[in-house]
Amino acid sequence: MRDNESDKTLNLKVRPCLAKKARLVKDRVNGEPLLLYPEGVLRLNDTAAAIVDLCDGRHTMVEIVTELAGRYAVPPEVLRAQVDEFLKRLRGCGLLHSGERGVLTPRWKYRGVNTPRSPGTSPRALGLLAELTYRCPLHCPYCSNPTEFSLTEGELTTAEWERVLGEAGELGVLHVHFSGGEPLLRPDLPELVRSARAAGLYTNLLTSSVGLTPARGEQLQKAGLDSVQISFQADEAGTADVIAGAPAHARKLEAARLVGELGLPLTLNVVLHRGNIDRIEALVTLAEELGAERLELASTQYYGWAWTNRASLLPSRIQVEEASAAATAAAERLRGRMQVVYVLPDYFRNRPKPCMNGWGQRHLTVNPVGDVLPCPTAGVIAGLHFENIRRKSLRWIWEESDAFNRFRGTGWMREPCRSCPEREKDFGGCRCQAALLTGDVAHTDPACGLSPHHETVAVQAERASTRLELDLSKTWSWRCNPVPSHG
């Protein structure tokens, strides 16, 4: 599809068909029609839902307009322009096929899983990160696994995860992201995908792809898997395998091609740091060659093992600036073909991000042993107790637990956040970062230029900018080991 193709009037003889990655469902909370797709959701009115429902590959544009004109008593010549405009927007988002492979390029504002809430909106769980295991065959130095994990109980069983997924559906969650560690190490993954689909959830697999064989891929596809995100460490095997601590790059390439053969939408995720941030253009080329619909260039978040290893992971300021320019150019060049997402590293910003769209507002995480957290790394916050799914229901934890209510809204804020006009946009930034860098979880995120602790990150960023280049094999000699099975 050419960049400007979605701006053209659609041929009245085409038979538009909803892309495989998109699913039309009803919101279990309020009955609104929703269009779910990887990393997002569109809320539709009844007319838009009726149009989407007729995009089944059998009806021509003329037939769709005729059907709707009769249904809503609207002159066809009036309705045709409205239908045409709506379908062009769906095509621009890669959510509609008309004889060509769709791509994902959002071109208008929508309310979705990854969009900030409006001020005054009540908390609504939309996304669930299901961390199935901390086990992993790789040794990445930025791994988000806890550096210390005190096992009190084993990994959740299949039955326990199925209960979590059912309760998530009842709570109104729309997306589930199966993650880890490496979720493919769970032999019951197809069963869990099947249970998630039965609960009305859009299923996303976040994986290193080590272990994604053709047989396993077919099992997951038949179970109802909706999309796959594969992590890559670099664009070529030499660097990638050193970073991963295992010879995995070739297997990742095979798995990415397998995802395409299965007809599933593919996202490539690359965690950026000092060792690979200079390779943006090559990473974009790799994503194009593999047919990815989305490329996430995710700057390292300094928690878990990344916090321990941050001195060697932090890029220099010039690296960040050059990467930002390269990513921006790629996003513009590929508009209409592949979505390129790049976020400036926290330590080089002057304003904090609205972490997880606000504490306990839109997302929740269930870790391998059933602890429920507002974000994947909230466990680093000392003194905050997180309830367990084995003892409380997901709804009770979301609505009633102290951990989820502690930093909701703005009432907990101190200055400078309390009087800041941006407080309903960034919610004071990241609580985990505030806790790690200042020792007080209620402080303003030091990534904010208004924080009295901003110098903490500024000094580290400046130090990284003057550091000499390091040999990769020496830089990551301290890679973390994979956490063994707890099951």
Side-chain angles (χ1 to χ4, degrees):
M1 186 164 63
R2 300 184 185 89
D3 291 357
N4 62 350
E5 187 170 349
S6 62
D7 298 327
K8 298 179 181 178
T9 301
L10 294 175
N11 189 324
L12 295 179
K13 293 182 181 181
V14 302
R15 300 177 187 273
C17 180
L18 199 61
K20 289 182 179 180
K21 65 186 173 189
R23 284 205 284 125
L24 180 64
V25 301
K26 280 196 173 182
D27 191 332
R28 295 181 65 169
V29 173
N30 54 31
E32 290 181 350
L34 306 170
L35 193 59
L36 303 180
Y37 60 94
E39 304 295 335
V41 54
L42 298 181
R43 298 189 182 278
L44 309 174
N45 60 27
D46 290 339
T47 306
I51 297 172
V52 169
D53 192 47
L54 290 169
C55 292
D56 54 10
R58 297 193 298 270
H59 297 85
T60 66
M61 277 285 291
V62 171
E63 292 169 338
I64 292 174
V65 170
T66 301
E67 166 66 23
L68 295 173
R71 189 181 303 181
Y72 295 106
V74 177
E77 59 274 15
V78 174
L79 192 59
R80 183 177 296 116
Q82 297 175 349
V83 172
D84 181 67
E85 175 61 24
F86 177 66
L87 294 185
K88 282 194 294 183
R89 289 185 171 188
L90 288 185
R91 273 186 96 183
C93 274
L95 301 177
L96 190 73
H97 288 179
S98 55
E100 297 173 281
R101 183 171 179 270
V103 293
L104 177 62
T105 306
R107 294 195 177 200
W108 79 105
K109 293 183 179 179
Y110 55 89
R111 289 159 51 206
V113 171
N114 292 315
T115 54
R117 69 181 182 91
S118 301
T121 304
S122 60
R124 162 76 189 276
L126 296 176
L128 165 65
L129 180 65
E131 293 184 320
L132 302 183
T133 182
Y134 284 143
R135 293 171 286 154
C136 184
L138 305 185
H139 310 249
C140 304
Y142 46 77
C143 180
S144 61
N145 276 353
T147 54
E148 295 182 11
F149 184 68
S150 177
L151 180 65
T152 55
E153 298 175 83
E155 290 178 357
L156 295 181
T157 65
T158 303
E160 287 172 324
W161 271 117
E162 289 178 335
R163 178 171 66 81
V164 170
L165 295 168
E167 291 184 7
E170 293 172 359
L171 187 60
V173 170
L174 302 176
H175 281 245
V176 59
H177 304 271
F178 291 112
S179 180
E182 177 46 66
L184 287 168
L185 290 175
R186 291 278 304 218
D188 58 355
L189 182 57
E191 297 173 62
L192 300 183
V193 170
R194 192 174 295 110
S195 295
R197 283 297 296 261
L201 307 178
Y202 191 99
T203 56
N204 306 274
L205 175 62
L206 282 55
T207 175
S208 71
S209 77
V210 176
L212 186 60
T213 63
R216 200 76 192 283
E218 290 179 8
Q219 286 180 334
L220 293 169
Q221 182 195 43
K222 290 178 180 178
L225 184 63
D226 288 302
S227 75
V228 178
Q229 175 180 299
I230 297 178
S231 65
F232 275 79
Q233 283 66 37
D235 59 285
E236 52 85 28
T239 302
D241 291 345
V242 168
I243 296 172
H249 188 73
R251 283 179 284 176
K252 288 173 176 284
L253 295 176
E254 293 175 2
R257 296 185 182 105
L258 172 62
V259 171
E261 293 169 4
L262 292 171
L264 293 169
L266 172 66
T267 294
L268 262 58
N269 175 277
V270 184
V271 177
L272 297 178
H273 48 77
R274 192 176 187 84
N276 63 8
I277 196 171
D278 297 322
R279 303 288 298 173
I280 297 295
E281 293 179 355
L283 289 165
V284 171
T285 299
L286 175 65
E288 289 183 86
E289 292 173 349
L290 293 175
E293 298 187 356
R294 178 181 171 92
L295 171 62
E296 294 183 358
L297 299 168
S299 298
T300 299
Q301 297 293 307
Y302 295 100
Y303 318 111
W305 286 96
W307 171 258
T308 300
N309 299 322
R310 66 190 182 280
S312 296
L313 291 171
L314 269 170
S316 67
R317 187 172 298 278
I318 191 169
Q319 283 182 306
V320 170
E321 292 171 352
E322 290 175 351
S324 179
T328 300
E332 183 59 33
R333 176 176 66 82
L334 293 169
R335 187 179 300 278
R337 286 184 285 156
M338 181 175 73
Q339 186 181 18
V340 178
V341 179
Y342 171 82
V343 180
L344 191 69
D346 285 358
Y347 283 28
F348 294 89
R349 295 168 60 94
N350 199 47
R351 298 295 305 172
K353 297 193 297 289
C355 186
M356 306 302 292
N357 294 321
W359 180 277
Q361 293 291 345
R362 291 291 176 261
H363 296 266
L364 52 87
T365 295
V366 178
N367 75 10
V369 297
D371 294 332
V372 187
L373 305 93
C375 80
T377 57
V380 304
I381 301 174
L384 198 58
H385 172 71
F386 299 100
E387 298 289 349
N388 192 283
I389 197 66
R390 285 171 165 142
R391 293 180 284 278
K392 297 286 187 179
S393 72
L394 200 63
R395 181 176 294 278
W396 187 93
I397 294 171
W398 175 262
E399 295 178 349
E400 305 294 336
S401 71
D402 173 66
F404 272 83
N405 283 291
R406 182 76 65 90
F407 302 107
R408 274 180 172 151
T410 59
W412 60 272
M413 291 182 173
R414 305 170 183 167
E415 295 294 353
C417 291
R418 182 179 293 276
S419 58
C420 179
E422 301 292 312
R423 66 184 181 280
E424 288 282 358
K425 296 179 181 179
D426 60 37
F427 310 106
C430 177
R431 296 302 88 222
C432 300
Q433 198 154 263
L436 287 170
L437 289 169
T438 75
D440 188 337
V441 64
H443 276 158
T444 301
D445 184 343
C448 179
L450 301 177
S451 166
H453 301 90
H454 183 63
E455 189 69 11
T456 304
V457 297
V459 167
Q460 293 191 45
E462 187 60 32
R463 188 177 298 152
S465 297
T466 58
R467 191 180 301 122
L468 295 176
E469 293 299 323
L470 300 176
D471 181 89
L472 285 181
S473 61
K474 295 178 181 178
T475 301
W476 286 298
S477 61
W478 32 247
R479 288 185 299 272
C480 61
N481 292 320
V483 176
S485 171
H486 300 305

